[in-house]
Every structure is written in structure tokens, then in C-alpha cells.
Amino acid sequence: MVHQTFEEYIIQGLAHPHPVVKSLVLRQFLKCEEKTDPGKGESDATRLGKQVLVHLCKIGMSMDYLLSDESMSVVRLLLSGNETQRFRVYDVVAAAVGESDSAFEFFRQEGIVDMLVKEGDARDVLVAMNFYELVPTLCESSLPYEYLEAAGVFSDALKQVYKAKNDDSVTSSLMRLSALKLFSRMADAQGISPAKFYERHAIVPELGELVLLPEPGSDLKATAITCVGTIGNNAEALGYLATEKTALAALVTAYNSSFGHLRVECLRAITCIFGYSTTPSGAASQACYELYAQLDEGKFLVGLTKEIMKGFEESCVAGLAVIQKMALHAWGLHEIASYQNIVNFLLMRDSARVKTAQQWQFAVVESIVKAPAAKSEFDDDTYARLARYVREGPYFVAATAQVALESS
């Protein structure tokens, strides 16, 4: 492998005091892209080259070399190639833009930003989907976000969502799924307030409608549920969902009426929402509690415990993940401590459970023990047992005494 064979020399080259040597190393990485046979996919050298270039965008001096005339001549050559080569370059451009507004201005003046934006109008649906995948990465500051907003990128993406209502073609369906994911990932974009973004682009009510689709096996319904969870994983965006109400209400309805795979998707979305912070508090935590109180008509933890105890791996792991996030909240810890069945289950080791379930069971107990209010929520004996569970680790098996009997 290239990085294994030449790692020492790569490091030496990038640390060399002479600019020409550093430039040479960067140029060689760009040539990894230039010489790749598109029909053979990404080689190890290509993959390494892109990863290194993305990493180097975080280093000021390396960024200067990346934007040099010598390097840009190779970049322009790659941009004249096929979509695979172009998007490798766009990945590096997005990383550079995320680190510096001056880099954005540089690529804009070079015409590369406009070239990227035009990819969203490509007839090839995969090209357009690749563009949508990059958009949230580009919006790490207000400058590129405002540029993309002015270019109509987000309004066009919303049109794709609406268009698919009357066009059930495969192309339209794929574009809608890609647009939904774009909007959900914008919750974590640093270039704009999530609440302002979702007020400006009315995707949340649309998600609420899609979550309530009658087809339980629909990929669109499952994607919409996932998107609600992704948006709710951001504290400010969660606040907007709580105020807007329709999407969270739809999630409650979907969970209460679902089973099987769709219920697992709902649990994963709830996990994202409850886990918006490792130290939740305030209005966002209250929004989580209000969601919790509506699930399963107020008997969410009871039903969830029954689901976990059935032992089916996917639903068991998804349920334990929800409880682990609940334990981060003061209200969640209180709910867990108040329901003896879940406490008993958590303290009961079973080596027959799949490893993933054992790991999540341990994660729940560990979160409980670490909670500031744990000692006040649990009696001394229960807290001591929980603490011992953590000390012993996730796979502890108690020793069994064996007595040797003298044969007659």
C-alpha cells in the first residue's frame, strides 16, 4: 500500500522547510487523482491522496500550496474529466471552504464554485445526488451558505420534494430522498441558525406528512422518520421541531402504530432526539420529555422494556440505545429508577445475549451510574449493584464453584 510503503517520506516531505518540496508532495497527491483509471474505481493511492489533501486543508501553510498556480493547473485538468474525478476535487474544495472563507472566495473567483453548483442541475441523477451530498459540508460558514441560498440551491431542492408527489418515476423518487437528507443534515451546518433555516424552507411540515404515509414498507416513510431524528439531534433544531409540532406529532403516531422494522426506525430517531447532547438541560430536554410522555400513550418505558426482553437483536439494541440516552436527562433517570422491571433487567447478565446487546446494556448502566443524581434516585443497595456492574465490565461471568467428589 502506498501509505504503508512511503508514509515516512510523505511526512518528511510535508515537514520539509523548502516550499518546493512541499509543493512537490502535494502535486504527487493530485497526480494520484489524475492518473486513476475511472473504470477501475478508487485505488488505494487515490483514496489516500484525497484523504491527505482534505486533512491538509486544515493547515494554513498547506492550504497556500494547495491554492498555488502549480497545484491549480492539475485541479483544472481533473475538473475537465468525468464526474468521478470532478467530485474527488469537489470533496477537497468543500474541505478547504469549511476551513476558510478566503478559500471559498478563491474557488468562487476561479469559477469552481459555479461549476459545482451547476452539477445540481445535471441530467444524470447520480451527479445531482452527489452534489446534494456535498451541500451541507460547504455550509460551514455564512458566506458559502448565502451564496448557495442566492443561487437557489435550497429552493430547488424543496421543489424536488414537491415534484415527486406527482411524479413517481425512479429518478424523481431518488432526487426526493436525496433532497430530504440534504435538509436534515443542514441542522448541523454552521453557516446559518437551524431554526431560521427551517423557517425559511418549509421542509418540516412535509416531513410530518411523509412520516404518516400509510405504506409501512415505504423507503420514503423510513427516510422521513430518519430525517426527523437527524434534525432533532441538534438542540436548536429540536427547539424548532417542538414549536412547529407537526413532525414530532407524526413521529409519535408512527411509533404508536408501527411494528417490526418501522418501529426500529422510530426508536433510532427517538434515540437521536433524546441524545442531542451529552449534558441535556433546559427547553430542549423538556421537549424530549414531552415527546416521551406522548409515546405509547404515556407507557413508553413499559412497552419498550417488553420489546427489549423479547431478545430480538435489532429491536433490543434500538431499545437499549433509547434508554441510554434517557439516562442522560434528569427526567429520564427518574423514569428509569421508578420502573423496577427495567432496573431488574439491566442488572441481570445473560451471556446468551448477542454481544452488541451486552455492550448497550453496559452503556445504559454506565450512563446511570455516571449521572449526577443517580445516588439520590436509587436506593443504596441498587446503586451499589449498578456500580459493581460497571466495575466488572460488560462481559463479566460469575465464577461457578465446583466441588470434587471422591469416587466410591
Side-chain angles (χ1 to χ4, degrees), residues 163-357:
K163 175 185 174 184
K165 290 183 175 182
N166 302 311
D167 180 358
D168 59 358
S169 66
V170 173
T171 296
S172 183
S173 297
L174 287 173
M175 285 301 297
R176 174 162 59 178
L177 291 174
S178 187
L180 291 174
K181 292 174 183 177
L182 181 160
F183 280 112
S184 67
R185 289 177 58 218
M186 284 299 295
D188 290 322
Q190 300 299 307
I192 185 174
S193 151
K196 290 180 179 178
F197 178 79
Y198 292 119
E199 285 173 1
R200 184 175 296 175
H201 301 286
I203 191 64
V204 173
E206 189 67 22
L207 283 172
E209 288 185 23
L210 296 176
V211 167
L212 294 175
L213 285 173
E215 303 89 352
S218 165
D219 287 342
L220 182 57
K221 183 182 180 82
T223 298
I225 290 170
T226 300
C227 288
V228 173
T230 302
I231 293 172
N233 193 237
N234 176 284
E236 185 182 341
L238 174 57
Y240 177 79
L241 290 180
T243 302
E244 194 275 342
K245 295 183 178 181
T246 60
L248 291 182
L251 180 60
V252 170
T253 301
Y255 177 81
N256 292 349
S257 61
S258 66
F259 55 88
H261 174 69
L262 199 62
R263 173 156 285 207
V264 170
E265 290 299 329
C266 289
L267 287 173
R268 288 171 178 163
I270 294 165
T271 298
C272 287
I273 293 169
F274 287 178
Y276 76 88
S277 170
T278 55
T279 55
S281 62
S285 183
Q286 179 62 27
C288 291
Y289 176 71
E290 291 171 3
L291 172 62
Y292 167 83
Q294 296 175 65
L295 293 164
D296 219 352
E297 300 177 348
K299 299 178 180 178
F300 177 63
L301 190 55
V302 174
L304 190 58
T305 302
K306 291 178 181 178
E307 193 78 32
I308 291 169
M309 292 178 72
K310 290 177 183 177
F312 297 114
E313 180 177 0
E314 196 173 37
S315 57
C316 178
V317 169
L320 287 169
V322 171
I323 295 175
Q324 189 269 326
K325 300 307 180 188
M326 281 180 59
L328 302 176
H329 298 258
W331 61 263
L333 189 70
H334 179 75
E335 292 292 319
I336 294 167
S338 301
Y339 186 52
Q340 194 60 42
N341 281 3
I342 189 61
V343 177
N344 291 341
F345 174 85
L346 292 171
L347 287 169
M348 182 178 63
R349 293 183 182 272
D350 185 355
S351 58
R353 289 185 193 128
V354 295
K355 188 174 182 179
T356 309

Side-chain angles (χ1 to χ4, degrees), residues 26 30 53-54 56-57 60-72 75 92-93 96 106-107:
L26 286 169
L30 287 168
L53 288 170
V54 167
L56 290 176
C57 289
M61 186 177 294
S62 297
M63 180 87 81
D64 293 339
Y65 295 131
L66 178 63
L67 304 183
S68 67
D69 290 341
E70 192 172 15
S71 294
M72 288 305 299
V75 167
V92 178
V93 168
F106 175 86
F107 288 120

Side-chain angles (χ1 to χ4, degrees), residues 72 79 89-90 93-94 97 101-120 131 138 143-148 151 153:
M72 288 305 299
L79 288 172
V89 174
Y90 295 147
V93 168
V97 167
D101 281 350
S102 60
F104 173 78
E105 277 298 318
F106 175 86
F107 288 120
R108 186 188 65 79
Q109 291 174 14
E110 290 288 321
I112 294 174
V113 174
D114 284 341
M115 185 176 181
L116 173 57
V117 170
K118 288 178 182 177
E119 302 282 11
F131 168 69
L138 288 165
L143 186 62
Y145 165 74
E146 289 167 1
Y147 187 89
L148 295 176
V153 169

